[in-house]
Amino acid sequence: MARRHLAGGRDTHRETDHGSTVALAERDVFPNADAVEASILDEPRTAAHRAEVVASNTFSGPILVPLRARLGDTDMSVHRLAIGASTFGWTLGSDDAHAILDRFAGTGGDLIDTADSYAAGRSESIIGSWMASRGSRDRMHVMTKVGRNQDLPGLAPQTIRSAVDASLQRLQTERIDVLFLHGEDHDVPLEESLGAVGALVEAGKVRAVGASDFSPERLIEARVLAANGLPRFQTLTTRYSLMERKSFEGATELVAHAQGLAVMPYFALANGFLAGGIRRRSDVKHDARGARAGVHLGRRGLRVLAALDEIAATHAVAPATVALAWLLARPSIVAPVVSATNADQVDALIAAASVDLHRSELVELDRASH
């Protein structure tokens, strides 16, 4: 299927990676898919900037934050940035992780993303100890994923049940706000996995279900199953940033928009590259994260950084803030998932929800990143 994609005000044409099969299936499930696609092209690409006063913590008191966004069709409204906890227990110890979470909550953040596979569950344990010590569970929304833990791999019903119980224990909570199926498991029928999640929802252990790295075909299959009474995916996490656009833009974007999924891109700063600290090979750290960020160091990456620098100077913010604001101006994007290496970085990340990029700036970022 050929589809148009709005690239900073210019119409471009390309074939989707999944071809006409996805288009036919999508239109079978959603007869108004053409109208939905048109709405993606026509929607305003600026972030909402109404604000509200919320309680923060006992130290800082009430603060003014951007108005929250709803997660799909759930009753949960969240801040438009999620703090990623993949480094908790891996490159960051408890004290540093707690400092980041303190700053995040103190500036209005309320959405935490983790997984039972992150640092073999230590990430969840650190989050659980933080919430217990701060008494902050009721004002935070905790998202975790099951399916890739070495001790409980896959999405078989019993595995999901055991994994959720283990996550609840580590998180020191009675409920998971969003449970993600962490990748597809082609050895287990999707209806069995969703059936297990449905039982967990009924038991009050899970509030909503999301998909992590699901293909458009699998998302369509899930929606058909939801029409027959199984839990419906409300959210989608996928790799997406100025440096990695192709895997989301196209069929996945169309399906996500048509289904009303709250999309939360991870690696939203391309492993830190879009923060602007890597400009030459000598800047690349000799570790796993540095290697991932260094992949983007080239002509295109430097072109994107130059555009970010210029726009960031205009708004008096950090380049990372602009990179996240570009994501938030995209249809379907509710909250990018971003990790911080220290508490001082949090302010620049969370500020993205308050930056209103002009259309000309969006055009420039689109051009630089294509």
Side-chain angles (χ1 to χ4, degrees), residues 11-355:
D11 289 338
T12 60
H13 295 70
R14 67 183 179 87
E15 292 293 325
T16 66
D17 295 334
H18 301 281
S20 59
T21 302
V22 172
L24 178 60
E26 182 66 22
R27 280 157 177 74
D28 288 342
V29 180
F30 306 106
N32 65 335
D34 287 326
V36 170
E37 182 172 359
S39 72
I40 293 178
L41 300 173
D42 295 337
E43 282 189 21
R45 291 161 48 109
T46 55
H49 296 287
R50 290 172 296 170
E52 61 179 340
V53 176
V54 301
S56 174
N57 56 46
T58 55
F59 301 105
S60 61
I63 56 176
L64 193 68
V65 300
L67 196 65
R68 286 159 165 69
R70 190 168 298 277
L71 289 180
D73 288 334
T74 73
D75 60 354
M76 291 180 277
S77 294
V78 298
H79 189 278
R80 299 200 68 195
L81 182 123
I83 198 72
S86 61
T87 58
F88 293 1
W90 176 39
T91 59
L92 294 178
S94 294
D95 290 345
D96 289 335
H98 284 190
I100 288 171
L101 290 170
D102 283 339
R103 182 70 67 87
F104 180 65
T107 51
D110 63 356
L111 187 60
I112 305 174
D113 176 78
T114 186
D116 68 351
S117 59
Y118 293 167
R122 290 190 296 276
S123 174
E124 290 181 328
S125 296
I126 288 173
I127 294 167
S129 66
W130 175 78
M131 291 191 298
S133 65
R134 305 305 194 264
S136 58
R137 176 64 185 97
D138 288 341
R139 66 166 301 268
M140 306 307 294
H141 296 92
V142 179
M143 309 184 296
T144 194
K145 312 175 193 71
V146 297
R148 293 184 183 173
N149 185 285
Q150 290 185 353
D151 295 327
L152 292 168
L155 298 174
Q158 182 56 49
T159 301
I160 291 175
R161 289 191 290 268
S162 298
V164 166
D165 285 341
S167 290
L168 289 171
Q169 185 175 8
R170 287 189 291 265
L171 289 165
Q172 301 184 46
T173 185
E174 296 179 350
R175 70 188 185 281
I176 293 167
D177 295 304
V178 182
L179 178 70
F180 284 94
L181 302 185
H182 205 174
E184 301 177 12
D185 185 345
H186 295 286
D187 294 328
V188 179
L190 185 56
E191 56 265 37
E192 293 184 10
S193 301
L194 290 175
V197 174
L200 293 168
V201 172
E202 292 179 2
K205 295 182 177 181
V206 172
R207 295 179 66 185
V209 60
S212 178
D213 292 324
F214 270 50
S215 68
E217 296 92 340
R218 201 70 158 169
L219 291 173
I220 293 170
E221 178 186 355
R223 180 53 60 92
V224 173
L225 293 171
N228 291 315
L230 289 173
R232 171 183 167 185
F233 285 141
Q234 300 290 346
T235 59
L236 171 69
T237 62
T238 184
R239 184 189 298 253
Y240 187 42
S241 72
L242 277 165
M243 297 307 301
E244 298 178 279
R245 300 181 60 171
K246 292 182 180 179
S247 62
F248 176 70
E249 294 177 2
T252 303
E253 182 181 23
L254 173 61
V255 173
H257 190 88
Q259 295 187 1
L261 297 176
V263 179
M264 289 178 282
Y266 65 87
F267 291 159
L269 292 177
N271 291 109
F273 177 79
L274 295 173
I278 298 177
R279 306 283 176 156
R280 56 186 65 85
R281 288 295 169 189
S282 59
D283 296 330
V284 179
K285 294 182 179 180
H286 298 291
D287 56 23
R289 185 176 176 85
R292 293 173 186 170
V295 169
H296 304 296
L297 187 58
R299 183 176 301 176
R300 176 171 172 262
L302 293 175
R303 189 170 65 239
V304 170
L305 290 182
L308 289 174
D309 289 341
E310 182 179 354
I311 297 169
T314 300
H315 291 269
V317 297
T321 305
V322 176
L324 296 175
W326 176 83
L327 281 171
L328 288 171
R330 308 290 296 181
S332 302
I333 302 300
V334 169
V337 177
V338 192
S339 299
T341 58
N342 61 69
D344 290 338
Q345 296 175 347
V346 173
D347 293 353
L349 304 179
I350 211 162
S354 300
V355 173

